[in-house]
Structure formats: C-alpha cells, structure tokens
Amino acid sequence: MLLSALSAVLSLAGSAAAALTYKGVDWSSVPVEEKAGISYKNVNGAAQSIEHIFRDSGVNTVRQRVWVNPSGGTYNLAYNINLAKRAKNAGLGVYIDFHFSDTWADPAHQAIPSGWPTAIDDLAWKLYNYTFDASNQFHDNGVQPTIISIGNEITDGLLWPTGGTSSWYNIARLLHSASAGIRDSRLNPKPKIMIHLDNGWNWDTQNWWYTNVLKQGPLVSSDFDMMGVSFYPFYTPSATLSSLKSSLTNMANRWGKELVVAETDWPSSCPNPAYAFPSDAKNIPFNAAGQSQWIKAVANVVASVPKGKGLFYWEPAWIHNANLGSSCASNSMFSNSGQALSSLSVFHNI
C-alpha cells in the first residue's frame, strides 16, 4: 500500500510546483506527543527523530505557534526556542507564528494576554517590546527565523477588544508596533514578516480586510513582506481550488506581496464529514494518496500565482488530536503508532 501510494505521489509531480520556496509543516505539538510516549518512524518503519523524518521527506521549513503565558508553559517562548533549535540542527528553516495570546488565537478567539494593558497606546508599546524581546531571545539562542507572523488568523482583529474590527485604526497601530519590534531586534538577516488571515479562497474577505487596515495610516506596506492564508476544504464547499487561485491572484496583483498558504489539511480518514467538500476536490480520496493529491493541487495553485512562495500543512504529527479541529476522523500524516504515511513524501515534489 505504501509503495502504490508513493507511486501515485510521484506521478503527480509537475513543473509548476517545483517553484515553491517554502515546503513546510506545523510541528508545534511534537514535544507534547513525545512526552506522551510517541516515537516517530519514517515511511519504512525505522525509528528516527521527527525533524529528520521531515527533512528527509522534502520539508524545508517548520512552523511553530508561540503563546505568551500559557498554563503549564506549553507553546511559550522557552518551549519554542528549544523546538527551534532542533529544527536548526536538522537544517530546517523556522517560521514563528505569534498568537499574541495565552491560548489559541483564531477568528473566534483573540484574547489579550493576562497582565497586558488594554489602552491602545500602552498595548501598542507592550506589543512592540514583546516582539522585540522575543526576537532577540531567538537570536541570542542561535535561531534566525526565516518567517515571523504577527498574529494568527486575524481576520476579525487581534488583542480583543482593543484590536477588534470596530477600530481598524487600532488594528493597524498594533500591527505596525509588532512589526517594528521585529525590525528593530538583533535578528540578522531579518525574517520575512507575515500577516495571516483565514479563508484564503474568499477574495471578498481578503480585499475587505486589507483595504480597511491599510487606509488607516499606522500600518504601511513596508511593515510586512508576506500575506498568509488558511485554506481548509472541510468547512465549506465554497473553498474550491479555483477560488483560491482567483483570490491569491487578485491579492498578488493588488498588493504585490509574497503569498503563502500558511495552513491546509486533507483527511486520511473522513467517514462522516459535517459539510460537503469543494466540487473540484470531490474525486480526491480520504486516504494517504488523497493527502498527496491535495497537497500537490494546492502547491500547484500557489506556484501558479505571481509571488506564490509556499505551503504549510497544519500539525501532521499531532496523533492524539488527529482530527485537527475538523469533523474528519484524521488529518494526520502519521499512523497511530507514529509511522509516517506515504503522503509525507509529497514534499519532495512541490
């Protein structure tokens, strides 16, 4: 089965996707799984450190979420510095995803960290100092991230309520401060700074958001280098590959920023999906071969767009949370025993 799926992956290889600069995965929860007793294995069943499994499978960059002061310390700065050192030692680039919260930040959750001020002047200054200090800590520990995202899926703003969409000025002010802290840090070379929204297939959402925030004044085009989007197929049939291509093309033509699909997944098992899947993905199976087809298809979309630079698969190794927030049984690229599925090898070909 592994060999036949791998053959299917190789047959999908095309010239367009070979242009991608960033071929990545989010591995934020790997230490959590290792602490729970998971030992990872490559596609041949041999035990191997997961960073080397990723590298040998064609991954060149890993994504890590950073929480400010989480309970128990998981995903905090120290946790991420240690994880980033592992990536660096394996020859992988590091993409840091600041959530600017003590817990999950996404379109439904953007809580100000405990102890942080709420007045806009004080909060903007706190955010500058936070990104400045965190960036310096990465530098001082020998890690130079290649990408830093200033917020995670901030379609409805960040650091609520101060940075909600009831005040686009506040959003712009906060993002400018976050960017300035990174730019002023000792990191050298400077990382690419990303703004990340969800629903990358929806041009109306992307256009509404960037038009509103960029006309405020504090956030200027030079404050960021990349636009990241989330693109998931299992929440709405509207998330077609063709709509993603249209949206990213419009974004490239309007703003000229580098573009990355910062999060995507495909099920290795989905017996009871809650929503219909997109029409142009209905023939992709819910298995390892289907994961390969989906990743290849998304990679081809990104590579076909001006300044399309990369793709990141969200948390493929989080075995104990294998549904990854979807109604599908599993979106993991590892079996329950920790062995890599054949789909992981698709990164060689994108």
Side-chain angles (χ1 to χ4, degrees):
M1 178 180 176
L2 291 178
L3 290 177
S4 63
L6 182 57
S7 296
V9 171
L10 295 175
S11 69
L12 289 166
S15 58
L20 292 188
T21 301
Y22 304 102
K23 301 186 291 184
V25 297
D26 191 310
W27 74 327
S28 297
S29 296
V30 162
V32 175
E33 292 291 61
E34 292 172 334
K35 187 176 181 180
I38 292 293
S39 297
Y40 292 99
K41 307 171 188 69
N42 62 26
V43 294
N44 298 315
Q48 193 177 10
S49 64
I50 193 169
E51 54 266 42
H52 290 96
I53 294 174
F54 284 144
R55 184 197 63 191
D56 294 348
S57 299
V59 170
N60 64 18
T61 307
V62 289
R63 181 178 188 253
Q64 304 180 190
R65 63 176 164 272
V66 180
W67 295 354
V68 176
N69 189 30
S71 176
T74 301
Y75 312 127
N76 70 7
L77 188 58
Y79 174 103
N80 274 281
I81 288 172
N82 288 332
L83 190 57
K85 287 179 178 179
R86 290 175 56 177
K88 179 191 173 185
N89 290 338
L92 297 170
V94 177
Y95 156 15
I96 294 300
D97 177 26
F98 283 129
H99 279 224
F100 300 143
S101 184
D102 293 335
T103 185
W104 294 101
D106 54 45
H109 312 89
Q110 297 283 342
I112 291 178
S114 59
W116 282 29
T118 57
I120 183 59
D121 288 347
D122 296 334
L123 185 58
W125 180 238
K126 180 68 176 181
L127 188 57
Y128 170 88
N129 281 289
Y130 173 76
T131 59
F132 178 77
D133 177 67
S135 296
N136 283 338
Q137 287 197 49
F138 279 111
H139 173 273
D140 293 348
N141 280 276
V143 177
Q144 306 291 329
T146 53
I147 302 170
I148 295 182
S149 178
I150 47 176
N152 185 76
E153 293 186 331
I154 58 171
T155 315
D156 290 318
L158 70 164
L159 295 162
W160 292 345
T162 309
T165 52
S166 59
S167 177
W168 288 100
Y169 175 86
N170 284 0
I171 296 174
R173 175 87 178 276
L174 292 168
L175 291 174
H176 174 76
S177 293
S179 172
I182 298 165
R183 299 280 200 225
D184 290 348
S185 75
R186 292 189 291 275
L187 286 175
N188 185 28
K190 299 302 181 189
K192 299 291 181 70
I193 294 177
M194 176 193 290
I195 292 177
H196 171 208
L197 309 183
D198 73 333
N199 290 342
W201 56 271
N202 192 328
W203 163 242
D204 289 341
T205 294
Q206 308 299 317
N207 187 38
W208 161 79
W209 197 92
Y210 283 104
T211 298
N212 275 299
V213 79
L214 286 170
K215 70 182 182 182
Q216 303 304 312
L219 182 72
V220 295
S221 182
S222 59
D223 284 335
F224 63 105
D225 311 288
M226 309 180 84
M227 292 176 169
V229 299
S230 296
F231 179 59
Y232 291 112
F234 36 63
Y235 298 127
T236 172
S238 298
T240 62
L241 291 159
S242 59
S243 64
L244 175 68
K245 182 170 182 176
S246 177
S247 179
L248 292 180
T249 299
N250 288 338
M251 293 167 70
N253 290 337
R254 177 153 190 190
W255 295 295
K257 298 294 183 181
E258 294 184 0
L259 297 167
V260 168
V261 171
E263 297 182 21
T264 194
D265 282 335
W266 186 264
S268 56
S269 173
C270 196
N272 297 296
Y275 305 98
F277 273 61
S279 58
D280 55 6
K282 287 188 179 297
N283 293 326
I284 301 178
F286 298 149
N287 55 27
Q291 288 181 322
S292 299
Q293 292 179 44
W294 175 256
I295 294 168
K296 190 67 179 178
V298 176
N300 277 325
V301 168
V302 176
S304 72
V305 172
K307 296 197 173 183
K309 294 296 182 181
L311 172 155
F312 289 83
Y313 196 95
W314 195 71
E315 286 272 32
W318 201 357
I319 295 168
H320 286 103
N321 187 37
N323 69 324
L324 299 179
S326 75
S327 62
C328 298
S330 178
N331 295 286
S332 173
M333 298 177 83
F334 289 81
S335 71
N336 289 339
S337 65
Q339 181 170 343
L341 305 182
S342 58
S343 49
L344 193 61
S345 299
V346 74
F347 288 95
H348 279 303
N349 303 305
I350 64 172

